[in-house]
Amino acid sequence: MRLLPANRGTFPDTFSKSLIMETSKKHARKVVRLSREMQDNYAHSRKVRIYHGTSNSTRVLSFKKNGVVDISDLDQVIKVNKNGRYAIVEPNVPMDKLVNETLKHGLIPPVVMEFPGITVGGGIQGGAGESSSFKWGLFDNCCLEYEVILGNGKVVKASPKVKADLFYGLASSYGSVGIISAAKLKLIPAKKYVRLKYIKVNSFEEVVEVIKKETKRGSDFVDGILFSKNLGVVMEGTLTDYVDLPITTFSKTTDEWFYLHAKKNAEKKSGWEEIIPIRDYFFRYDQGTFWVSRYAFLRLKFPFNRFTRMLFNVAFKTRAMFRFLQALKTSQQTITQDISLSADKIFTFLDYLDKNINIYPLWFCPLRPIKDAFLSPIFMSTDLIINVGVWGKLIKDFKKILNLNRKIEKKTLELGGRKILYAQCYYPESEFWSIYDRQKYDKLREKYDSTKTFPDIYDKVIVKEKYKVSYLGGLVSFIKSPTKYPIS
Ligand SMILES: Cc1cc2nc3c(=O)[nH]c(=O)nc-3n(C[C@H](O)[C@H](O)[C@H](O)COP(=O)(O)OP(=O)(O)OC[C@H]3O[C@@H](n4cnc5c(N)ncnc54)[C@H](O)[C@@H]3O)c2cc1C
């Protein structure tokens, strides 16, 4: 674990040794290549987007390789320090690989996103969180330090103590401020299982009340689903090594999709408990992509039953689903929004959704608010935030779906909430900047030389055109190169 010899002049003067000193030569070589590439882009004022090998974004992305910086080889867990309880990782490490590595040392990241293919870099830059986020905040709130390649090619360290404005400004900045080339992540002790308690709820009021109550009990995980206006569950999980119930899994082909398993039980029982292996708990929504894969059955007019779910299991897991979605360009025909709102505003929002859009199931994920990262969806002054996942509907009329998305955006704005920007965004520019602090953002980009080489955040997240769904062309290109991902 040594730094490259100084006489090779590979790193700019500003490079801080403290993080890279602990990393490998192989990593250093990759960073040097990218640093030089960014210096060249800077010299020619070339704006670049980041290609990182995969993407879970539902925005229709481009496959064009020009105007791109390719960071896809940054995909290694460099080090796990058991005593110090931290890991140093490259940004394209996906959640399943990260968890497999840290579990070898009896540790886990405090926040592990529900889809195994979500990456460390995408999670930091894309506002990712999950059912432990009521305790820890989003994934970026569990990061201790970043190694960053700036728009001019300089490689710097950012942490809450060093370049704190950059450290906090990178969160949810969607690759518009700098490239994260390594991150130091906090880790916590792992256990083998999660004991999951399901509490049946029967109304909007109840789902909010039970979530509020459960987040105060000191458990490890809380999330919820409303299957309809009058039926749902709140799930409270605790890490455990103790097994006193049969073990339930959600990763085998024969396992039922998690939300269907929860729904079937909620229709019969008022509450129940299960023991779930920790990996199965983390990625419980992978099979069926929560419930979004249901729409692929609808679109393809496949019968939707236990047998067909087993038969096409691999195709409806998240990694395959996101590749299909991008190849066929179908994401504009469904609503995919994640809305963060102060818990006291949720009832009004649900009532509005029910009357105007009527979309179920809905996902609920309580989140701890933060004060530092000004672009983050949890930058809010309140006690508790609840994220509502509004995913579904199959609407082929573009005007209609645009109108519904705008309704959600306007209501969110009215209630002081924020969208997670990975999804389809239709905000007019002035409305977008009434939510985010443009002055602060522009100052940050100028200070860290991002403006010449990275597009700004509005430019990155906004939907600019109506995409033509391409079933045949999409399928052919998917079959020809099934591992080809677009640029995010
Ligand atoms: C139905 C559904 C459910 C979802 N549920 C969840 C959930 O439960 N929890 C959750 O957290 N998220 C969820 N998401 C959203 C998903 O987590 C986000 O889209 C996440 O950001 C994806 O990460 P990714 O690794 O695929 O990155 P991408 O989406 O490819 O990238 C995100 C952004 O980060 C930038 N970027 C990536 N790597 C770097 C880097 N190294 N340096 C600088 N910029 C970089 C990209 O350019 C892009 O702008 C859900 C999405 C859907 C559709």
Side-chain angles (χ1 to χ4, degrees):
M1 302 291 184
R2 279 187 302 120
L3 187 64
L4 282 183
N7 61 7
R8 281 170 63 180
T10 43
F11 288 110
D13 298 342
T14 48
F15 182 67
S16 162
K17 290 179 184 170
S18 69
L19 182 57
I20 205 82
M21 280 293 265
E22 300 187 59
T23 67
S24 67
K25 265 189 184 176
K26 206 171 157 196
H27 170 75
R29 266 187 228 112
K30 296 180 206 172
V31 175
V32 168
R33 174 187 63 79
L34 287 167
S35 161
R36 289 198 180 129
E37 207 176 310
M38 286 311 296
Q39 284 175 35
D40 191 51
N41 288 326
Y42 186 77
H44 293 92
S45 298
R46 258 193 313 258
K47 281 212 164 62
V48 288
R49 287 179 178 244
I50 292 160
Y51 174 70
H52 69 101
T54 61
S55 185
N56 288 261
S57 175
T58 54
R59 274 173 278 121
V60 178
L61 303 169
S62 161
F63 286 90
K64 288 177 196 145
K65 282 267 180 155
N66 52 340
V68 164
V69 56
D70 184 344
I71 64 164
S72 57
D73 64 349
L74 288 169
D75 60 358
Q76 296 301 309
V77 173
I78 297 167
K79 175 179 187 169
V80 178
N81 185 315
K82 188 172 179 175
N83 293 332
R85 289 194 185 162
Y86 67 84
I88 296 180
V89 302
E90 292 183 330
N92 300 318
V93 171
M95 287 300 113
D96 51 358
K97 181 168 171 178
L98 179 63
V99 168
N100 286 344
E101 287 302 315
T102 63
L103 275 177
K104 287 180 192 163
H105 304 265
L107 298 167
I108 44 169
V111 171
V112 178
M113 282 76 86
E114 273 92 357
F115 296 165
I118 294 179
T119 61
V120 166
I124 296 164
Q125 295 269 342
E130 54 86 39
S131 60
S132 63
S133 291
F134 74 94
K135 237 172 139 172
W136 298 99
L138 299 182
F139 188 75
D140 61 272
N141 303 117
C142 307
C143 293
L144 305 168
E145 206 168 293
Y146 303 135
E147 176 189 85
V148 190
I149 305 171
L150 299 179
N152 56 14
K154 281 185 184 158
V155 185
V156 299
K157 182 182 95 165
S159 75
K161 291 204 177 122
V162 180
K163 297 188 173 53
D165 55 348
L166 177 63
F167 179 78
Y168 293 116
L170 281 164
S172 297
S173 66
Y174 291 81
S176 70
V177 174
I179 299 168
I180 293 178
S181 51
K184 184 174 177 179
L185 313 176
K186 179 185 173 69
L187 300 175
I188 57 171
K191 296 213 168 140
K192 285 189 187 143
Y193 305 98
V194 171
R195 186 184 187 93
L196 197 64
K197 186 174 85 182
Y198 298 72
I199 307 151
K200 185 171 165 173
V201 290
N202 297 304
S203 66
F204 295 158
E205 291 93 333
E206 218 182 335
V207 74
V208 178
E209 281 319 304
V210 176
I211 286 177
K212 277 188 186 168
K213 196 171 126 206
E214 294 304 316
T215 53
K216 287 183 189 139
R217 280 162 46 93
S219 43
D220 296 307
F221 308 100
V222 176
D223 71 330
I225 305 172
L226 270 184
F227 307 107
S228 67
K229 193 175 175 180
N230 301 314
L231 179 69
V233 281
V234 172
M235 293 148 288
E236 181 255 277
T238 315
L239 289 162
T240 184
D241 284 323
Y242 185 64
V243 179
D244 60 347
L245 292 167
I247 292 171
T248 313
T249 59
F250 296 102
S251 54
K252 296 200 288 286
T253 305
T254 47
D255 293 337
E256 184 54 291
W257 291 5
F258 180 82
Y259 95 97
L260 288 170
H261 167 81
K263 182 168 185 260
K264 280 177 199 163
N265 279 291
E267 280 160 355
K268 290 183 255 163
K269 307 175 196 170
S270 62
W272 71 102
E273 292 191 26
E274 279 166 359
I275 301 285
I276 305 172
I278 187 143
R279 283 190 196 83
D280 284 61
Y281 175 78
F282 283 147
F283 307 124
R284 65 201 178 285
Y285 292 112
D286 183 33
Q287 307 214 102
T289 317
F290 280 85
W291 38 86
V292 178
S293 300
R294 172 97 171 83
Y295 291 91
F297 279 84
L298 270 178
R299 192 183 285 280
L300 299 169
K301 298 192 172 69
F302 277 176
F304 184 70
N305 56 46
R306 188 80 192 252
F307 176 71
T308 53
R309 284 194 292 279
M310 274 175 6
L311 193 64
F312 300 111
N313 181 46
V314 178
F316 294 112
K317 286 188 177 189
T318 47
R319 277 189 168 98
M321 272 297 291
F322 283 112
R323 287 213 310 270
F324 267 130
L325 197 76
Q326 291 296 344
L328 272 59
K329 296 188 170 38
T330 51
S331 59
Q332 246 173 359
Q333 295 187 342
T334 46
I335 292 181
T336 312
Q337 302 290 354
D338 272 78
I339 310 295
S340 293
L341 287 159
S342 172
D344 57 352
K345 300 281 168 52
I346 292 288
F347 179 80
T348 317
F349 183 68
L350 293 180
D351 192 48
Y352 179 83
L353 267 190
D354 185 66
K355 290 190 177 121
N356 292 277
I357 300 172
N358 188 30
I359 189 169
Y360 294 97
L362 294 169
W363 187 56
F364 297 85
C365 186
L367 310 166
R368 192 196 74 187
I370 48 106
K371 292 197 178 78
D372 307 302
F374 70 102
L375 295 170
S376 170
I378 57 169
F379 180 74
M380 248 176 244
S381 55
T382 179
D383 296 335
L384 180 71
I385 296 167
I386 297 182
N387 178 81
V388 187
V390 188
W391 315 309
K393 292 249 176 207
L394 181 58
I395 300 171
K396 295 191 176 169
D397 181 335
F398 180 66
K399 269 196 187 148
K400 206 168 162 191
I401 200 140
L402 175 70
N403 184 27
L404 291 181
N405 275 300
R406 284 295 294 141
K407 276 187 171 176
I408 296 176
E409 288 176 350
K410 283 184 194 155
K411 195 69 192 172
T412 303
L413 179 62
E414 187 192 312
L415 296 174
R418 285 186 170 197
K419 275 176 39 152
I420 303 186
L421 299 173
Y422 76 83
Q424 305 276 320
C425 289
Y426 296 93
Y427 292 114
E429 196 161 359
S430 59
E431 195 174 307
F432 182 85
W433 289 116
S434 73
I435 303 166
Y436 302 95
D437 186 338
R438 178 158 211 172
Q439 234 185 341
K440 198 167 177 177
Y441 176 72
D442 285 348
K443 220 170 123 192
L444 183 79
R445 293 213 331 139
E446 259 156 47
K447 181 170 172 190
Y448 292 105
D449 253 326
S450 325
T451 48
K452 259 192 188 183
T453 39
F454 299 121
D456 89 356
I457 185 167
Y458 180 76
D459 205 21
K460 285 210 79 175
V461 303
I462 214 71
V463 178
K464 298 196 185 92
E465 55 186 296
K466 177 187 166 203
Y467 293 94
K468 202 168 175 291
V469 174
S470 148
Y471 286 113
L472 195 61
L475 268 178
V476 170
S477 78
F478 182 85
I479 291 162
K480 267 193 188 160
S481 45
T483 52
K484 197 165 125 189
Y485 270 95
I487 323 302
S488 57

